[in-house]
């Protein structure tokens, strides 16, 4: 306040607002001057066109990578960096968990040598980084909610198809920035990018310095957009224990989308505080009949649950009997013997993923779950009945819809916000005599 009161008018002309905006971006919104915008950790992968066509521009590409890395806060618990070069095939120069300091990364970048080769298989390279670089074993922290960024430099049009791998990267929430030259296909770059505005072009790679600030700005935007609800934040907010059950549509229609469903479950589980006295998780698949994959008291650590989810096998089946599945959960999963703590007042959460309209009636079992105090969130695709999803959910705003299950990456943040707002005091229906008996026996350590 004293400093503001002491301000004196500066004077001068003309009014260069553009230059002033650039100045504060370069000199005020920085780590060294106290800004905390870029302190959120991120995993950054550079995918560099190393084909014969970029031989003359490779030194400029290398300089570009250096300049971007220079602005990062590299460290094991901060920013991590990987570089991959490709032409016909992709080659990892170093993974996200190879170097732990900025100096080590810079030295490795300076030592890069142009790979050479033809043709330019950008599609195969994108698939390669998804399968081999954005993984836990190579240092990716995607499942921990850390923003994942891929910066692609491509000097020409891809020889193979890029649409499928590019779509898969988007489904996993990976922010792709594509930079091309005059010989690149601008529409292809836009399809590759997380969104069209993330595609940039230069006349040739010697002009990469002209997009340097754009990339930095876009990366900061991506980090803010993807900022997850972290475990630390959850602890700080003193989130109460929860019992979370996932009910997954496993009909034949969801077979090709099942990896995206598994990824969705993993993302939500990563935000939970899994422990016997904290959050518990169960997963059930269903089609004509439901099948419990594991109960609320089967696993008591996050790693065990994530491993079980990764190993799920699609059940299959034609008929989608959502009503019967909801009734099954009420009678067999949200019970004390299966690990539910409903009678202890622990919030009971059901997350339903359904790709179509139920073949049987959902109204009675959905109503029964609400009466038990179970908070149901329903996520459907374009084949679902939106009104049915709303009737199943504990309130209409707890129903979400995506075009395809491959778009589920957009849902976790909305769900997490809803889970965060769960009521701490849950008043369930009056327990039955058998439930009271079981609870008494439990307290007497008979079970």
């Amino acid at each position: 306040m004293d400093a503001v009161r002491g301000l004196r008018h500066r004077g001068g002309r003309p009014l260069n607002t553009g230059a002033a905006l650039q100045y504060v971006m370069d000199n005020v919104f920085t780590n060294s001057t106290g800004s905390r915008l870029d302190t959120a950790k991120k995993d950054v992968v550079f995918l560099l066109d190393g084909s014969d066509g970029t031989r003359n521009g490779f030194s400029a590409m290398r300089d570009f990578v250096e300049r971007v890395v220079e602005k990062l806060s590299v460290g094991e618990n901060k920013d991590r960096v990987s570089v991959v070069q490709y032409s016909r095939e992709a080659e990892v120069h170093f993974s996200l968990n190879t170097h732990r300091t900025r100096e080590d990364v810079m030295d490795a970048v300076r030592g890069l040598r142009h790979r050479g080769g033809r043709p330019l298989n950008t599609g195969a390279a994108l698939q390669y980084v998804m399968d081999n670089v954005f993984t836990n074993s190579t240092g990716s922290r995607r499942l921990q909610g850390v923003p994942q960024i891929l910066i692609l430099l491509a000097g020409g049009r891809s020889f193979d198809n890029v649409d499928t791998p590019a779509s898969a990267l988007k489904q996993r929430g990976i922010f792709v920035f594509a930079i091309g030259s005059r010989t690149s296909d601008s529409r292809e770059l836009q399809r590759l990018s997380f969104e069209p505005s993330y595609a940039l072009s230069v006349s040739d790679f010697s002009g990469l310095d002209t997009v340097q600030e754009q990339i930095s700005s876009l990366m900061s935007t991506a980090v803010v957009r993807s900022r997850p609800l972290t475990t630390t934040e959850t602890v700080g907010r003193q989130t109460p224990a929860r019992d979370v059950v996932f009910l997954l549509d496993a009909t034949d229609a969801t077979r090709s989308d099942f990896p995206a469903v598994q990824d969705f479950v993993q993302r939500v589980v990563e935000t939970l505080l899994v422990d016997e006295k904290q959050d518990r998780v169960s997963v059930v698949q269903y089609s004509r009949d439901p099948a419990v994959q594991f109960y609320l008291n089967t696993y008591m650590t996050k790693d065990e649950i994530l491993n079980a989810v990764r190993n799920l096998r699609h059940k299959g089946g034609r008929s989608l009997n959502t009503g019967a599945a909801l009734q099954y959960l009420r009678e067999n999963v949200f019970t004390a013997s299966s690990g539910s703590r409903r009678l202890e007042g622990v919030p009971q959460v059901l997350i339903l993923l359904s790709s179509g309209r139920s073949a049987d009636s959902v109204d009675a079992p959905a109503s029964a779950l609400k009466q038990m105090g179970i908070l149901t969130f329903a996520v459907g695709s374009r084949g679902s009945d939106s009104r049915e999803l709303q009737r199943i959910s504990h309130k209409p705003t707890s129903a979400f819809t995506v075009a395809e299950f491959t778009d589920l990456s957009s849902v976790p943040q909305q769900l997490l916000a809803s889970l965060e707002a769960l009521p701490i005091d849950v008043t369930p229906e009056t327990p039955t005599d058998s439930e009271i008996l079981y609870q008494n026996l439990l307290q007497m350590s008979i079970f």
Side-chain angles (χ1 to χ4, degrees), residues 3 18 21 73 85 173 185 303 341 361 388 400 415:
L21 292 172
S73 298
Q85 200 178 156
D185 181 337
D303 286 343
R341 296 164 293 177
S361 174
E388 181 178 84
F400 306 94
L415 253 181

Side-chain angles (χ1 to χ4, degrees), residues 127 129-131 134-135 142 148 166-175 194 259 263 267 406 409:
Q127 186 68 43
V129 296
M130 183 170 68
D131 294 341
F134 287 110
T135 63
R142 183 176 67 88
Q148 305 290 286
S167 176
L169 286 167
K170 293 175 189 176
Q171 289 161 21
R172 295 195 178 191
I174 295 169
F175 291 92
F194 188 79
D263 189 68
R267 280 173 169 269
T406 50
S409 60

Side-chain angles (χ1 to χ4, degrees), residues 144 228-237 270-273 302:
Q144 299 169 36
L229 181 68
T230 64
T231 301
T232 303
E233 290 170 331
T234 305
V235 173
R237 292 173 186 169
E270 274 289 356
T271 69
L272 302 178
L273 291 171
K302 185 181 293 184

Side-chain angles (χ1 to χ4, degrees), residues 47-52 54 84-91 93 114-117 119-126 152-156 158 160 192:
L47 181 57
L48 310 179
D49 176 349
S51 65
D52 293 343
T54 62
V84 181
Q85 200 178 156
Y86 80 102
S87 52
R88 177 186 293 275
E89 297 168 342
E91 176 187 3
H93 287 288
H114 187 259
R115 186 172 188 273
L120 185 67
N121 290 331
T122 306
L126 293 174
L152 166 69
L153 274 70
S158 180
D160 61 355
L192 286 171

Side-chain angles (χ1 to χ4, degrees), residues 8-29:
R8 296 293 176 265
H9 185 259
R10 183 174 184 273
R13 61 176 63 178
L15 184 66
N16 292 334
T17 307
L21 292 172
Q22 186 68 44
Y23 182 87
V24 294
M25 182 170 70
D26 294 342
N27 299 281
V28 181
F29 287 111

Side-chain angles (χ1 to χ4, degrees), residues 379-419:
V379 183
S381 65
R382 69 159 63 100
S384 306
D385 181 337
S386 60
R387 292 185 179 180
E388 181 178 84
L389 295 177
Q390 291 177 347
R391 295 202 309 276
I392 291 172
S393 301
H394 76 281
K395 57 183 179 180
T397 55
S398 296
F400 306 94
T401 303
V402 292
E404 305 286 348
F405 277 162
T406 50
D407 298 325
L408 282 169
S409 60
S410 63
V411 176
Q413 281 301 109
Q414 300 174 63
L415 253 181
L416 292 175
S418 299
L419 288 175

Side-chain angles (χ1 to χ4, degrees), residues 29-44:
F29 287 111
T30 64
N31 291 340
S32 60
T33 53
S35 170
R36 294 163 293 177
L37 177 62
D38 293 321
T39 57
K41 53 192 173 186
K42 49 194 174 288
D43 294 337
V44 183

